[in-house]
Every structure is written in structure tokens, then in C-alpha cells.
Amino acid sequence: MPILHPDDLHAFVRDTCAQLGSTETEQHLVADQLVGANLAGHDSHGVGMLPAYVWGALSGELAVNSHPTVVQDLGALSVLDGNMGFGQVNGFETMGHAIDRARTHGAAIVGLRNSYHIGRIGHWGEQCAAAGMASLHFVNVSGHSPLVAPYGGREARFVTNPICLAIPGGPERNGRPTPRVMLDMATSKIAGGKARVAMEEGKPLPPDTMLDAQGRVTTDPSGMFKNPKEGALIALGDHKGSGLAIMAELLGAALIGGPTMQPGNKRASNRIVNNMLSIVIDPDATGAGDGFAAEAEAFLQYVQSSELREGFDEVLLPGDPENRARAARAEGVPVDDATVRLLRKAAINAGLSDAESRLS
Ligand SMILES: NC(=O)c1ccc[n+]([C@@H]2O[C@H](COP(=O)([O-])OP(=O)(O)OC[C@H]3O[C@@H](n4cnc5c(N)ncnc54)[C@H](O)[C@@H]3O)[C@@H](O)[C@H]2O)c1
């Protein structure tokens, strides 16, 4: 598999966005998040998403150089509309707004509705943690057909609705504080993009992650890519994960005026709409003082001191796998041949004339 330098990937994403008309700031925000996802080990939300963005911009579904607008503002609670702009711009500016409000009020509840794909949600937890804030993010996905079956069902009714919870206090990376712990996960057993990566690499899915059209468990991802789709991803943790996905849909979208997956809302095959409810909390405002970090650390050490279960050689904290991936991938990210081909094709469609000779 080709190993590509993160700087080359970053430049490729930036140059493709420039062809779409993005400002330099927008180019950088998009590239930072996509390459950052690859570096964190989440190829499902890395540069492989770029073709969907090119399609979105060229079809008019994604608004280039758009910014979120405040549609409701009560101080500690506000809602922004993402106007179907780049999720990387919407997420960055909405988190900036939420952090400012949390500094003023001690906490902020901020909704972002109608954004194009906001990518790896951990990126937003990291932005909050870099500002010293704890944060909770509930996200729904709509705009295209559903992918995940509710517990007991065989037909998809929602998407992979991610949830991210981040606690600040980690070491600095590139001069910015990081989360001490961050749980950032799809509510399906695997993220939808991981089915795409399996399909592109010609690999089977992990066992027990997908149902076929008859509702039987399968490891063949191809049904997800048929039109209409056949089969559905399985929610994590049986009724509990299915319940979390339903609540992320209602909190992340319906509660803030965003579209849920119900069929009355607009759908198109490659269209990706994200809505997100974020709760951002300033630890300085809770009265815990320095005790917060000390208490958290004592607890986390206690967690990791657990005697190991059979078959395990360590207890990791949420966020540890991503930190390890960053260390391992700092100088090179594996990107499979199929993804490289799709990236070049998308960049050429965007107008990047030298795309064919890049990424090798
Ligand atoms: N924008 C969207 O529409 C959208 C939709 C779905 C998912 N996503 C993103 O997809 C990404 C991948 O999600 P996923 O569910 O496949 O992630 P995952 O299953 O790889 O990891 C989920 C969480 O578990 C933690 N973890 C993993 N292995 C662990 C271990 N052995 N011990 C302790 N903790 C461990 C990770 O640090 C992470 O916080 C996430 O970044 C998510 O935000 C985005």
C-alpha cells in the first residue's frame, strides 16, 4: 500500500479545494481535519472523503466559502445554521463561538444545523480541549439514505450518529493542549466509512457488523454500495447503542431545528448533512478548581491499574489508540491504491491539472 507523507496529502487537499474556489483559510481547515483524521488512524474520515466534497461542491450541494450564521441566541444557548457550507469551517467557527460563550457563562449549549459533513467529531472535542474546555457532542447524519438498522430491525433507519465526549488536560501537541481522555465513536459497530474502506481494499468487514437484505449477519460490504442499498450496519451494543443513535438524532438534529433521517427530508445519494448539539463546559466554572485534574488523574490511574483480563495485555483509555496512531503515522500515512485513484479523479474533476502525477 502506498505510504504518503502527511504534508503531500495536506497540499493535495488544499490545492483541490483551491480549484473549487475555497479561500486559503478554508483550504487549510479542510486539509487539517482530513489529514488529521488519517494521522489519528481514522482513514474512514480522512482524505478519502475529499471526492464526496468535490462532488458536493460541483453539484451545488456544498456551499464553498460559506460561514455559519447565528439563528438563535440566548447567551448560554445558541443555534447556528451551517448553510450547507464545508463542515470543517462550520465546525471550527461554531466551536470558537461555543468556547467564547462557555468562558462567559461557565457553560454553553450550541447547536449547529444544516452543515455539510463535519468529519471526525474528535476534531471538535480537540478544539474545545485545546481551549481548556470539557465537551459533549451529539451528532446526526442525514441528507442521504439511512445505513444502520435499529435494534430488532433489518432495514436501516438512521446513520452512524457519532457521539464525542472530551476531557481536557492532556499534554501539548503542536503547541496546543490536547484532551486527557476523549471518547469519539460512531453508534454503529463500525463507522460507515470503514465499510467504504473495506470495500475499496477488497477486505471483509469485521464479524457481526452488518446485516444483508434478508437480515442475516454478513461480512460482505458490497450491499452498502448498491443502489438502492441492500442490508444495514448493526448498531453497537444491541438495544443500548441503537438507543444512543436515536437520542443523538433527536438531540443533535430535531432539538436544534435540523433535519432528521425521516423520509420527508431531502435525500440525494452523495449528500452528507450533519447536525450537532455541543455542550461545552469550563472546568474553572464548576468549583472543582485544581481538584478536577487531580481527581481525574487519580481515577484514570485506578482504571488502568486493573488486573488484566484473559487475552489482553493492557488497559487503554479512550483516545490512546489515536495518540499511538499519530506517533506511528507522523512521517507516512498508508493510503490504498483505490483511494489514491479516487482522489486523483476527484481532483481532476475539480480542475487540478497535475493531479495524475501526484500522490505517488
Ligand atoms: N461526521 C459523521 O457523520 C461521522 C459519523 C460516524 C462516525 N464519525 C467519526 O468516525 C470516527 C470513527 O468512529 P469509530 O466508532 O469507528 O471509532 P473506533 O471504534 O475506532 O473508536 C471509538 C472510541 O473508542 C476508543 N478506543 C478504541 N479502542 C480502544 C481500546 N482498546 N481501549 C479503549 N478505548 C478504545 C477510541 O479512542 C475512540 O474514542 C470517529 O472519529 C467519529 O467521530 C463521523
Side-chain angles (χ1 to χ4, degrees), residues 42 45 117 119-121 141 160 182-184 186 194 274 319 322:
H42 291 293
H45 287 72
H117 190 237
R120 177 178 160 262
I121 310 307
V141 194
T160 51
M182 184 169 72
L183 180 68
D184 170 30
K194 288 191 174 152
N274 274 143
E322 286 74 12

Side-chain angles (χ1 to χ4, degrees), residues 33 37 41-42 44-45 117-124 139-142 144 159-165 182-194 236 272-274 312 314-323:
Q33 196 204 30
H42 291 293
S44 57
H45 287 72
H117 190 237
I118 57 174
R120 177 178 160 262
I121 310 307
H123 198 72
W124 312 122
V139 180
N140 95 318
V141 194
S142 58
H144 55 72
V159 189
T160 51
N161 293 354
I163 291 173
C164 174
L165 312 169
M182 184 169 72
L183 180 68
D184 170 30
M185 58 177 216
T187 49
S188 48
K189 282 196 175 163
I190 55 165
K194 288 191 174 152
L236 68 87
I272 314 171
V273 182
N274 274 143
F312 285 74
E314 59 186 342
V315 175
L316 293 177
L317 295 174
D320 286 348
E322 286 74 12
N323 290 333

Side-chain angles (χ1 to χ4, degrees), residues 162-182:
I163 291 173
C164 174
L165 312 169
I167 297 291
E172 289 204 344
R173 189 171 60 241
N174 303 327
R176 301 171 78 210
T178 60
R180 174 67 181 92
V181 183
M182 184 169 72

